[in-house]
């Protein structure tokens, strides 16, 4: 949409004009149409002609002394009706020789038409009012055009630099000083920007609020459609914009232009924005930086059912997010999918409480394995959570399980859904790897080897313990003779001060090595 100065609505209402200092000097009194004082004033026009209506194009505040109307009540009534037909903003009558008092015929006609009628009780130079209002309108239109170009320039620069969607929305929120929300046509939130508490207030009951607001722009809710080539695929909404409507509409239109361009140049789709939204939400849940309770409005607005639900946190290794999204839709399972780091994809299922969460998770995993093959996909899960506040812990647990089997050669022997109990000691170590006591234990047990850089002893120890202390297999895997292996094992025992033939000492070293390896990943 192209914005030109003529297409911008003025930023002054009838009510605002009446508060100007020069107008107050004329002692204005609203005698009719008091409920319509918020009409925008596009221009001020001084006219004494009885047929002034044919000279107007709408939105004018007409100033008159009524000198050509005095003594003819029919002309007075028709004068008001013609202003109404021309969609004038208001009529201002200067009392004086023509009308020493408010003409009752004009007042009644204006009231019937809903046209604001104002009388000035003191002599007032119309030229001063015209000059004041016109200059303000011109300044505001110039400021609006300047803002339009500034916003366009800044957003275009961000797009050219390859900025993500969130960066663009942050810039729009900075200019509008209110929450900004991008949705698809089903009101599902794809992105937000603005001060977090204000955004959360908007999202808390987003779908009801969005549908209730409809297409109106009351209370500062200003929206612009997203789409092109005759197809709409979303909208951007300024929520509670406190400036004048024209400027807000301008900002929304400029933002919409930029978002459409961002999509076109990036080759993305509205669906990819949904993935980005889910990724941001699930990443925040996993990190624990933002309390889960504060993320609840975002989850609800993203389309995830959250009331009276059972949540099943899953992490899929080497899973294609698009494939997982399609599988969820195929199985009719409500949930969010987001790619995390290191080839892991989080899947948060939201199930009715009367459904068997374990069975549905297993069905999902089995279908996924059927499509990808059992040696390509690991589905790790935490126990189902009945409370939203427990979801972050569940996601982190599922991620730990996925990490624990990431390098395992026994994926084929694992169940369709792998849980903490299935990865045994390795899973426990993964879960505790950030604990300072565990870190200190690993450093203390392995200190003699960790300080050694000349010999390849640590890999030998790792293989020896992983094969159940099988010397022949260890020698074979490291391509050394058995006597050479014996010498290395002896060096390891000397440096660590342990006897690897002693089960308890070997177990202690094995646990320390698992903890050390977990901390390196």
């Amino acid at each position: 949409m192209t914005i030109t100065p003529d297409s911008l609505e003025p930023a002054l209402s009838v009510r605002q004009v009446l508060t100007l200092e020069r107008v107050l000097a004329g002692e204005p009194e609203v005698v009719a149409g008091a409920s319509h004082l918020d009409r925008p004033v596009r221009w001020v026009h001084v006219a004494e002609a009885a047929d002034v209506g044919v000279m107007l194009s709408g939105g004018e505040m007409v100033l008159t002394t009524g000198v050509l109307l005095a003594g003819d009540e029919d002309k007075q009534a028709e004068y008001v009706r013609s202003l109404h037909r021309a969609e004038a903003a208001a009529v201002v009558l200067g009392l004086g020789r023509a009308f020493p008092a408010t003409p009752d015929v004009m007042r009644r006609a204006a009231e019937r038409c809903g046209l604001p009628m104002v009388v000035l009780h003191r002599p007032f130079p119309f030229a001063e009012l015209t000059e004041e209002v016109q200059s303000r309108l011109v300044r505001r239109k110039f400021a609006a055009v300047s803002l339009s170009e500034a916003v366009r320039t800044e957003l275009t620069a961000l797009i050219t630099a390859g900025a993500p969607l969130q960066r663009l929305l942050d810039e729009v929120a900075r200019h509008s000083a209110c929450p900004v929300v991008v949705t698809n046509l089903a009101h599902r939130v794809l992105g937000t920007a603005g001060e977090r508490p204000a955004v959360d207030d908007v999202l808390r009951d987003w779908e009801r609020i969005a549908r209730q607001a409809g297409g109106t722009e009351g209370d500062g809710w200003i929206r612009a459609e997203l789409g092109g080539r005759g197809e709409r695929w979303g909208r951007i909404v300024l929520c509670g914009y406190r400036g004048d409507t024209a400027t807000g509409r301008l900002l929304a239109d400029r933002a919409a232009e930029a978002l459409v361009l961002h999509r076109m140049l990036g080759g993305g789709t509205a669906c990819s924005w949904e993935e980005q939204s889910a990724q941001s939400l699930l990443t925040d849940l996993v990190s624990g930086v933002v309390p889960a309770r504060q993320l609840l409005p975002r989850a609800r607005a993203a389309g995830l059912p959250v009331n009276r639900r059972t949540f099943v946190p899953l992490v899929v290794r080497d899973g294609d997010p698009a494939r997982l999204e399609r599988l969820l839709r195929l199985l009719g399972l409500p949930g969010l999918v987001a790619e995390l780091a290191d080839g892991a994809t989080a899947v948060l299922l939201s199930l009715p409480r009367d459904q068997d969460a374990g069975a549905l998770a297993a069905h999902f995993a089995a279908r996924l394995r059927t499509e990808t093959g059992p040696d390509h996909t690991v589905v790790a899960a935490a126990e189902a959570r009945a409370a939203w506040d427990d979801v972050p812990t569940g996601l982190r647990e599922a991620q730990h399980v996925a990490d624990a089997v990431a390098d395992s050669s026994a994926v084929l022997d694992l169940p369709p859904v792998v849980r903490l109990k299935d990865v045994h000691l390795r899973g426990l170590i993964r879960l505790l790897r950030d604990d300072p006591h565990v870190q200190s234990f690993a450093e203390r047990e392995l200190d003699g080897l960790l300080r050694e850089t000349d010999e390849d002893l640590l890999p030998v120890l790792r293989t020896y313990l992983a094969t159940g202390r099988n010397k022949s297999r260890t020698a074979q895997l490291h391509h050394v003779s058995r006597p050479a292996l014996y010498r290395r094992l002896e060096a390891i025992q000397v440096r660590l001060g342990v006897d690897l033939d002693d089960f308890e000492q070997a177990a202690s070293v094995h646990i320390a090595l698992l903890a050390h390896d977990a901390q390196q990943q």
Side-chain angles (χ1 to χ4, degrees), residues 16-36:
Q16 289 172 318
V17 171
L18 297 181
T19 62
L20 297 178
E21 186 175 351
R22 290 188 179 181
V23 179
L24 292 175
E27 297 182 8
E29 177 189 0
V30 178
V31 297
S35 60
H36 300 279

Side-chain angles (χ1 to χ4, degrees), residues 466-509:
T467 58
R469 294 184 293 175
N470 186 320
K471 294 184 176 68
S472 298
R473 180 61 176 157
T474 302
Q476 180 183 9
L477 290 173
H478 284 271
H479 308 290
V480 298
S481 64
R482 287 178 65 97
L485 176 67
Y486 294 156
R487 287 194 295 273
R488 293 189 183 185
L489 291 177
E490 182 64 29
I492 290 171
Q493 293 183 99
V494 169
R495 284 181 170 83
L496 296 183
V498 299
D499 178 5
L500 292 179
D501 290 329
D502 181 88
F503 175 79
E504 184 174 339
Q505 294 183 54
S508 180
V509 172

Side-chain angles (χ1 to χ4, degrees), residues 275-308:
E275 292 170 0
Q276 291 178 40
S277 175
Q279 183 176 29
S280 173
L281 173 61
L282 292 185
T283 300
D284 285 346
L285 278 169
V286 171
S287 70
V289 174
V290 182
R293 181 58 50 182
Q294 293 183 22
L295 296 173
L296 188 58
R298 287 172 58 188
R300 185 183 290 111
L304 186 73
V306 295
N307 294 330
R308 297 183 296 279

Side-chain angles (χ1 to χ4, degrees), residues 3 45 83 92 118 184 186 200 208 224 256 259 299 324 389 421 438 485 497 508 511:
I3 305 295
H45 191 70
L83 294 181
V92 178
V118 181
N184 61 16
D200 288 345
R208 181 188 64 80
L259 295 185
L324 298 176
D389 287 345
K421 63 183 180 61
V438 174
L485 176 67
S508 180
I511 293 172

Side-chain angles (χ1 to χ4, degrees), residues 64-289:
T64 182
T65 62
V67 65
L68 299 182
L69 304 175
D72 191 331
E73 293 186 348
D74 290 339
K75 282 187 176 182
Q76 295 170 21
E78 177 57 26
Y79 182 84
V80 172
R81 288 193 293 267
S82 69
L83 294 181
H84 170 65
R85 289 193 296 270
E87 298 183 349
V91 58
V92 178
L93 175 65
L95 300 181
R97 286 180 297 175
F99 290 102
T102 303
D104 198 47
V105 171
M106 292 182 69
R107 182 190 61 77
R108 289 199 304 270
E111 193 64 53
R112 284 194 297 270
C113 294
L115 176 70
M117 179 175 176
V118 181
V119 297
L120 301 175
H121 289 279
R122 292 174 61 90
F124 185 86
F126 283 168
E128 291 187 8
L129 174 56
T130 303
E131 179 185 7
E132 176 76 10
V133 175
Q134 311 297 50
S135 63
R136 285 175 180 263
L137 292 177
V138 169
R139 286 198 302 271
R140 293 200 177 199
K141 280 194 174 183
F142 178 77
V145 173
S146 298
L147 174 64
S148 169
E149 291 308 310
V151 172
R152 169 185 281 165
T153 300
E154 291 172 12
L155 295 181
T156 301
L158 289 174
I159 294 171
T160 304
L165 170 66
Q166 187 61 52
R167 183 67 185 86
L168 269 66
L169 296 183
D170 289 341
E171 190 67 18
V172 176
R174 184 178 71 82
H175 281 287
S176 63
C178 70
V180 175
V181 178
V182 174
T183 77
N184 61 16
L185 296 181
H187 303 288
R188 179 173 176 178
V189 174
L190 308 180
T192 63
E195 294 186 5
R196 197 73 253 168
V199 172
D200 288 345
D201 285 343
V202 169
L203 296 184
R204 193 157 284 115
D205 197 10
W206 169 255
E207 186 168 347
R208 181 188 64 80
I209 294 175
R211 294 183 185 279
Q212 189 176 51
T216 65
E217 294 186 344
D219 298 326
W221 281 64
I222 300 174
R223 52 187 48 74
E225 301 298 327
L226 303 176
R229 298 178 181 176
E231 180 183 1
R232 293 187 303 119
W233 43 266
R235 58 179 60 88
I236 182 169
V237 187
L238 307 186
C239 308
Y241 180 71
R242 294 306 174 197
D244 64 272
T245 301
T247 303
R249 191 177 298 118
L250 171 67
L251 284 171
D253 287 335
R254 281 291 178 251
E257 290 175 359
L259 295 185
V260 171
L261 181 62
H262 181 272
R263 178 191 179 191
M264 292 173 57
L265 295 182
T269 64
C271 182
S272 70
W273 287 3
E274 292 178 355
E275 292 170 0
Q276 291 178 40
S277 175
Q279 183 176 29
S280 173
L281 173 61
L282 292 185
T283 300
D284 285 346
L285 278 169
V286 171
S287 70
V289 174

Side-chain angles (χ1 to χ4, degrees), residues 316-370:
V316 181
R317 273 285 170 190
D318 301 321
D320 176 26
R323 181 194 294 274
L324 298 176
E325 283 271 15
R326 289 194 298 271
L327 184 56
L328 286 183
R329 289 195 295 268
L330 178 65
L331 299 178
L333 297 175
L336 295 178
V337 176
E339 188 172 7
L340 301 178
D342 302 324
T345 301
V347 179
L348 179 60
L349 301 180
S350 174
L351 307 174
R353 289 184 176 176
D354 58 353
Q355 293 186 351
D356 188 335
L360 288 175
H363 181 51
F364 169 79
R367 285 294 299 270
L368 183 60
R369 279 196 166 194
T370 299

Side-chain angles (χ1 to χ4, degrees), residues 387-401:
W388 173 258
D389 287 345
D390 295 333
V391 168
T393 302
L395 284 169
R396 287 192 289 271
E397 180 181 318
Q399 191 171 30
H400 286 311
V401 174

